[in-house]
């Protein structure tokens, strides 16, 4: 390689060669830095688990302790959850995991939409998943999260509450009679002005199959019900990834807003769910 | 307020202390006082100077002013000025048809800004005639004395305490009644001068009920009550310098605005000023240095209305702090140079909280003036030259640096909806240049030609207002931070001849605006206010043109009788050639002045043409022609120590049901009214 470089130095395209050399040098330097840093970590620092979220529940089974963290108690809607996975002596583990949220009702059981944002492998005991609970715990039935950590199972009974303002709406499609579920993710802390809006949409194919729907087109209209007016310059959410749709929503004042959504596929309408927001 | 009262007390004590310690010097002092040129010479407390474009006062104005009972009345009687009404209180002056966004109102050269987003409180509403020494009005781009505008300027000069060793105590008391609104007005004015100190105090109380219009119907929500109080101390530091402290307060409450969906619970204004006057300082003659501060707190209220779509709170607040230094640099027979440097910073905030009728919903909040800051610093020169025997030249220029921004994060978020921002200061240089030549054909005949260019900042509502509902056209208005300055090229000519006490004046003007700021409908936006027709943006439009003129003549038939004629006409077209909104139609006024003994009889006829040139963009309706007749009587008793006067009269004798074209809403003005006012001057 050294030969090649010295050769090209003699060519007439000197500037490009210097550039290439600099590129090469910086790649080498970067590589060295990463190596040093990771070796430091391996040698000197114990893996640690850090999160700003609140602890919701902790269960020990089969010599595994799984602790779940979230911003708030589990609710009907889109929950971002971080799990800490330790062995019996409190060492943070790495490996592969799968989660199965199951609602046990008297006559039947059903699952709900689930996402692994960073895949199913985890390191340093930290694992993230998103679960869209579709109904609250209560007399109707109860929720269980079943973790499978490299073949070892941990079963965790959890409580899901219904929030004051619904974060999940379902409707039966006018097009195909299927049940669709729309989860309201953002704005989680709405403010006057321009807000990012993020929705995730799922279809209930069967009791156990809740795939994300990616081919929809959406329209939104924020509505001030008590005054009967909307707001200008909203951007309809468009599909980004995995059933998530993002856009912009504007609020001209504080108060009770309703975000009215029209869910379309091509030119046909599936339904018109809405969300209430108060701030 | 407290520190100010201490200051008053302090200056007062100093005054009395010096009286005791320097009794000898006191006698000599009294004589010296009379010779100083800045002593306010007018000893009559009711003396008022009204000056308009030509800065002169004719004889008849003196009679006229006796019969004016409030500031709106005073301003209305200036040539080229109309008063736009929203109710029976706080009328907004229109200068040749241009509203307050386009001109500057100042008080003794101090900048002050109304605190109501709906323009319920033009600055003139915080001033009372009893406080007024004079009133200076200029039009268009010429004569911008305390800031830059495209429509003109109004400066209210506050009355100063009078040094008078012959009469150390002077007082006047006045009381009046007006039948149409069962309104009672009281006022007093006190003046003390002793030694180095002169004090002045005044107070006014006004209370009126709902008035009756020309159809004999009571106009609901047209009542008002107010209290105005002023104090002023002048203290002589030496025989050539003087310190003045002025305070003015005005409290109005329970003020109805029948043309608007809301009334005013309370409106409070406070003005403070400290001024240092000198005879001369180095190269400066008559230098004057002032520091001032003022604020207005304005609370709208709709709780007394029978039916409102939604109850709202809309408080507004403005605060202005500033300073100026002005002096004369050259004064000779042939030339004169005046200059002024000034600066101010102002702050404005207005909010709106809406309470849904359905109590399950939470109240809604928005910032209609999102903490708006304005800074300005300007320098101004005014040069007069007599360059040929019959020719005079006047050149005026002003240059001003301004900065505008908002400091509210909430307001910035509101703007983000339209991808706009107001956080980063917006800097603008504004310039004004005017050139005027006068040819004196004879001593009593002169012709003037002038060219003036000026530009103005957008008003704070035009730049940062957020969903302000305008009752006049029924649209919500949005301000645009990125507006450019509005410019006006103003051409004017006037001709004047006088013959003894008779005079004839004609003014003709043309305004050629570019970047004319007006509301433009945006079909893409939906209305916010309940009942609103849609949303308009304040936008720079390419052009607007105005033409017009005034004719005023006084014909004296004898020492005892004269005829006064006035004609006003304005024509305005926007960038599409359509009429500008709120343009006054042709107006003529004929007055006869007759003196019989101690009585002055003053019948008056006012005629307004039909206005059919209406702005469809502003949803205007045409307005019918009308004629008004008034009769005014004044009797004066002059005693050795006191003087008293009585004014009485009938306004709108034939009970005409009328409104002016530019009035907001379709509310009729007052019908026939008898009034009586007496005044004692001690």
């Amino acid at each position: 390689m050294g030969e090649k470089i010295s050769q090209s130095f003699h060519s007439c395209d000197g500037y490009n060669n210097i550039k290439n050399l600099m590129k090469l040098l910086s790649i080498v330097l970067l590589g060295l830095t990463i190596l040093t840093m990771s070796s430091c970590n391996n040698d000197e620092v114990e893996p640690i688990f850090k999160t700003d979220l609140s602890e919701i529940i902790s269960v020990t089974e089969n010599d595994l302790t799984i602790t779940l963290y979230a911003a708030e108690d589990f609710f009907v809607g889109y929950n971002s959850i971080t799990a800490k996975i330790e062995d019996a002596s409190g060492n943070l583990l790495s490996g592969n995991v799968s989660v199965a949220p199951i609602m046990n009702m008297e006559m039947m059981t059903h699952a709900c939409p689930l996402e692994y944002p960073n895949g199913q492998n985890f390191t340093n005991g930290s694992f993230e998943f998103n679960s869209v609970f579709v109904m609250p715990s209560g007399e109707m039935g109860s929720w269980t999260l079943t973790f499978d950590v490299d073949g070892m199972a941990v079963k965790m009974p959890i409580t899901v509450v219904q929030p004051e303002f619904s974060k999940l709406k379902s409707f039966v499609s006018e097009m195909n009679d299927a049940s669709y579920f729309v989860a309201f993710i953002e704005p989680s802390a709405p403010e006057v002005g321009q807000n990012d809006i993020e929705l995730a949409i799922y279809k209930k194919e069967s009791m156990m199959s809740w795939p994300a729907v990616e081919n929809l087109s959406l329209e939104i209209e924020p509505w001030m019900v008590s005054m009967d007016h909307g707001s200008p310059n909203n951007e309809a959410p468009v599909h980004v990834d995995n059933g998530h749709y993002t856009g912009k929503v504007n609020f001209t004042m504080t108060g009770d807003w309703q975000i009215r959504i029209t869910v379309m596929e091509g030119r046909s309408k599936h339904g018109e769910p809405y969300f209430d927001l108060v701030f | 307020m407290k520190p100010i009262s201490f200051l008053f007390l302090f200056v007062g004590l100093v005054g009395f202390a010096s009286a005791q310690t320097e009794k000898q010097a006191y006698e000599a002092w009294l004589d010296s006082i009379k010779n100083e040129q800045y002593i306010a010479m007018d000893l009559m407390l009711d003396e008022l100077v009204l000056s308009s474009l030509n800065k002169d006062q004719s004889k008849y104005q003196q009679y006229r002013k006796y019969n004016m009972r409030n500031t709106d009345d005073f301003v209305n009687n200036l040539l080229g000025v109309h008063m736009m009404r929203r109710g029976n209180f706080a009328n907004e002056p229109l200068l040749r048809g241009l509203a307050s966004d386009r001109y500057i109102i100042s008080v003794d050269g101090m900048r002050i800004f109304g605190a109501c987003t709906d323009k319920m409180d033009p600055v003139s509403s915080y001033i009372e005639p009893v406080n007024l020494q004079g009133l200076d009005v200029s039009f268009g781009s010429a004569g911008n004395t305390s800031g830059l505008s495209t429509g003109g300027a109004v400066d209210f000069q506050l009355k100063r305490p009078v040094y008078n060793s012959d009469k150390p105590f002077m007082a006047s008391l006045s009381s009046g009644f007006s039948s149409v609104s069962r309104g009672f007005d009281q006022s007093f004015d006190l003046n003390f001068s002793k030694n180095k100190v002169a004090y002045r105090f005044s107070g006014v109380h006004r209370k009126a009920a709902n008035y009756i219009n020309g159809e004999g119907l009571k106009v609901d929500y047209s009542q008002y009550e107010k209290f105005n109080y002023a104090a002023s101390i002048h203290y002589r530091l030496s025989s050539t310098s003087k310190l003045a402290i002025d305070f003015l307060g005005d409290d109005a409450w329970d003020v109805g605005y029948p043309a608007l969906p809301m009334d005013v619970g309370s409106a409070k204004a406070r003005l403070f000023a400290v001024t240092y006057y000198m005879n001369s300082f180095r190269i400066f003659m008559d230098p004057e240095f002032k520091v001032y501060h003022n604020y207005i707190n304005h609370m709208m209220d709709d709780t007394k209305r029978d039916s409102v779509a939604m109850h709202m709170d809309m408080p507004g607040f403005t605060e202005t702090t500033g300073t100026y230094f002005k002096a004369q640099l050259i004064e000779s027979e042939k030339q004169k140079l005046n200059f002024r440097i000034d600066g101010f910073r102002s702050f404005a905030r207005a909010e709106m909280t809406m309470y849904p009728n359905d109590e399950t919903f939470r109240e809604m909040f928005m910032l209609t003036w999102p903490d708006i800051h304005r800074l300005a610093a300007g320098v101004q020169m005014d040069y007069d030259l007599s360059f040929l025997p019959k020719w005079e030249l006047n050149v005026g220029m002003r240059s001003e640096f301004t900065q505008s921004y908002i400091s509210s994060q909430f307001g910035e978020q509101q703007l983000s909806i339209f991808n706009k921002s107001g956080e980063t200061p917006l800097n603008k240089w504004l310039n004004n240049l005017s050139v005027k030549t006068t040819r004196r054909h004879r001593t009593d005949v002169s012709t003037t030609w002038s060219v003036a260019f000026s530009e103005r900042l957008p008003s704070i509502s035009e730049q940062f207002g957020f969903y302000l509902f305008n009752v006049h056209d029924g649209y919500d208005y949005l301000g645009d931070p990125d507006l450019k300055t509005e410019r006006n090229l103003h051409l004017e000519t006037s001709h004047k001849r006088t013959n003894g006490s008779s005079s004839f004046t004609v003014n003709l003007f043309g305004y050629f605006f570019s970047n004319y700021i007006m509301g433009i409908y945006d079909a893409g936006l939906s209305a916010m206010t309940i009942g609103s027709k849609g949303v308009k943006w304040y936008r720079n439009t390419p052009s607007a043109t105005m033409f017009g003129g005034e004719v005023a003549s006084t014909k004296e038939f004898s020492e005892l009788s004269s005829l006064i004629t006035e004609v006003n006409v304005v024509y305005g077209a926007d960038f599409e050639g359509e009429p500008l909104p709120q343009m006054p139609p042709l107006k003529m006024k004929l007055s006869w002045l007759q003196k019989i003994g101690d009585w002055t009889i003053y019948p008056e006829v006012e005629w307004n043409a039909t206005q059919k040139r209406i702005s469809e963009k502003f949803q205007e309706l045409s307005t019918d022609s009308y004629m008004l007749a008034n009769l005014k009587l004044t009797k004066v008793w002059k005693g050795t120590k006191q003087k008293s006067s009585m004014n009485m009269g009938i306004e709108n004798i034939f009970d005409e049901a009328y409104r002016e074209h530019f009035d907001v809403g379709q509310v009729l003005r007052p019908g026939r009214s008898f009034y009586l006012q007496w005044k004692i001057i001690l």
Side-chain angles (χ1 to χ4, degrees), chain B residues 421-682:
Chain B
S421 169
E423 268 179 345
T424 322
L426 299 149
N427 300 334
K428 292 237 160 48
W429 271 103
L430 308 177
N431 292 295
N432 159 245
L433 180 70
S434 69
V435 180
K436 185 166 96 178
T437 58
T438 304
R439 180 176 150 79
R440 300 205 174 277
H441 310 277
R442 299 202 305 267
T443 47
D444 51 355
V445 180
S446 64
T447 309
T448 301
W449 298 270
S450 67
V451 183
F453 167 83
S454 185
E455 50 191 331
R456 72 167 175 105
L457 280 184
S459 71
I460 52 174
S461 289
E462 287 169 342
Q463 193 165 24
F464 295 112
F466 194 67
Y467 284 101
L468 296 176
F469 181 61
N470 181 350
V471 176
H472 191 70
D473 60 356
Y475 285 86
D476 288 326
Y477 275 69
L478 283 169
D480 182 356
D482 305 321
L483 281 180
K484 288 181 280 203
T485 58
E486 176 183 290
R487 292 159 178 199
N488 181 9
L489 180 66
H490 169 188
L491 305 180
E492 177 139 351
T493 179
S494 59
H495 183 75
K496 191 175 175 185
R497 38 183 77 222
T498 50
N499 179 13
S501 294
S502 296
S503 69
F504 175 80
T505 308
V506 55
N507 306 316
L508 296 171
F509 69 90
Y511 290 168
F512 302 92
F513 288 97
S514 52
N515 294 341
Y516 186 86
I517 298 169
M518 66 189 273
I520 300 292
Y521 176 59
D522 184 339
L525 299 181
S526 63
M528 188 278 295
T529 307
I530 294 170
S532 164
K533 298 187 181 92
V535 178
K536 284 184 179 183
W537 282 97
Y538 282 111
R539 294 281 189 223
N540 289 111
T541 62
S543 65
T545 321
M546 287 177 72
F547 297 102
E550 299 96 26
V551 178
S553 106
T554 307
K555 177 78 186 152
E556 197 177 66
F557 295 98
S558 74
E559 275 289 295
L560 299 174
S561 51
S562 40
L563 175 73
I564 302 138
T565 316
E566 284 173 15
V567 183
N568 275 283
V569 61
V570 185
Y571 165 95
D574 68 13
F575 65 106
E576 290 173 325
E578 288 175 27
L580 286 175
Q582 293 184 297
M583 284 288 119
L586 175 69
K587 178 178 176 177
M588 289 188 352
K589 207 164 162 181
L590 228 67
S591 321
W592 182 267
L593 200 72
Q594 182 71 46
K595 281 180 128 185
I596 305 170
D598 289 337
W599 288 85
T600 306
I601 301 171
Y602 186 59
E604 198 178 55
V605 176
E606 188 184 313
W607 176 78
N608 267 251
T610 307
Q611 181 58 291
K612 284 186 179 154
R613 291 195 76 251
I614 52 165
S615 168
E616 278 167 23
K617 291 189 191 101
F618 286 78
Q619 315 280 319
E620 284 194 322
L621 301 171
S622 63
T623 307
D624 289 338
S625 167
Y626 69 85
M627 196 167 83
L628 289 183
N630 306 320
L631 178 67
K632 298 173 179 180
L633 302 163
T634 300
K635 181 167 165 57
V636 179
W637 293 270
K638 278 184 183 154
T640 44
K641 285 201 167 175
Q642 87 234 32
K643 180 179 138 178
S644 56
S645 67
M646 185 175 70
N647 302 316
M648 54 186 152
I650 314 172
E651 283 174 328
N652 194 359
I653 295 171
F654 301 111
D655 213 9
E656 177 86 6
Y658 77 107
R659 58 181 290 278
E660 294 255 29
H661 176 65
F662 39 76
D663 284 349
V664 176
Q666 296 293 314
V667 181
L668 294 177
R669 290 198 171 200
R672 185 188 303 124
S673 179
F674 299 91
Y675 71 89
L676 180 71
Q677 187 186 35
W678 62 266
K679 187 170 189 177
I680 296 179
I681 299 162
L682 297 170

Side-chain angles (χ1 to χ4, degrees), chain A residues 96-107:
Chain A
N96 183 282
V97 66
S98 71
V99 190
I102 297 293
M103 179 75 199
N104 297 295
M105 299 169 81
E106 261 178 51
M107 306 293 291

Side-chain angles (χ1 to χ4, degrees), chain A residues 165 191-194 223-233 235 250-256 278-279, chain B residues 310 312 354 356 360-366 410 413-414 416-419 466-467 525-530:
Chain A
F165 295 97
E191 288 181 325
V192 166
Q194 193 167 70
W223 200 254
M224 186 108 244
V225 182
S226 54
M227 290 178 77
D228 257 345
H229 67 72
S231 79
N233 292 354
E235 282 172 31
N250 293 319
F251 302 114
T252 49
M253 58 178 76
T254 65
D256 292 61
V278 176
F279 59 96
Chain B
M310 179 175 281
M312 297 181 198
M354 293 153 278
T360 55
F361 292 115
R362 197 180 291 190
E363 77 262 14
M364 294 155 276
F365 178 85
M366 63 207 297
F410 192 90
Q413 283 165 218
Q414 288 182 161
S416 73
I417 294 172
F418 303 104
N419 295 315
F466 194 67
Y467 284 101
L525 299 181
S526 63
M528 188 278 295
T529 307
I530 294 170

Side-chain angles (χ1 to χ4, degrees), chain A residues 4 6 14 31 41 48 50 56 62 110 119 121 130 153 167 171 174 184 195 218 225 232 241 243 255:
Chain A
K4 208 177 171 186
S6 54
N41 279 351
I48 48 159
K50 266 177 103 177
I56 307 293
N62 289 331
H110 67 74
N121 291 324
N130 304 320
K167 298 280 184 72
F171 62 89
E174 294 170 20
F184 187 87
N195 294 260
L218 305 182
V225 182
D241 186 33

Side-chain angles (χ1 to χ4, degrees), chain B residues 42 44 46-51 56-69 74 77-78 133 501 554 562 564 566 593 595 600 602 632-636 638 643 645-647 677 679:
Chain B
D42 40 337
M44 296 298 291
D46 61 341
E47 201 67 37
L48 182 90
V49 184
L50 293 171
S51 79
D56 63 343
Q57 35 165 184
S58 42
K59 188 181 163 193
Y60 71 90
Q61 280 179 323
Q62 296 201 5
Y63 296 103
R64 193 173 265 187
K65 79 191 178 212
Y66 278 121
N67 257 300
M68 287 172 215
R69 299 181 306 285
F74 279 114
N77 275 285
L78 293 167
Q133 182 111 37
S501 294
T554 307
S562 40
I564 302 138
E566 284 173 15
L593 200 72
K595 281 180 128 185
T600 306
Y602 186 59
K632 298 173 179 180
L633 302 163
T634 300
K635 181 167 165 57
V636 179
K638 278 184 183 154
K643 180 179 138 178
S645 67
M646 185 175 70
N647 302 316
Q677 187 186 35
K679 187 170 189 177

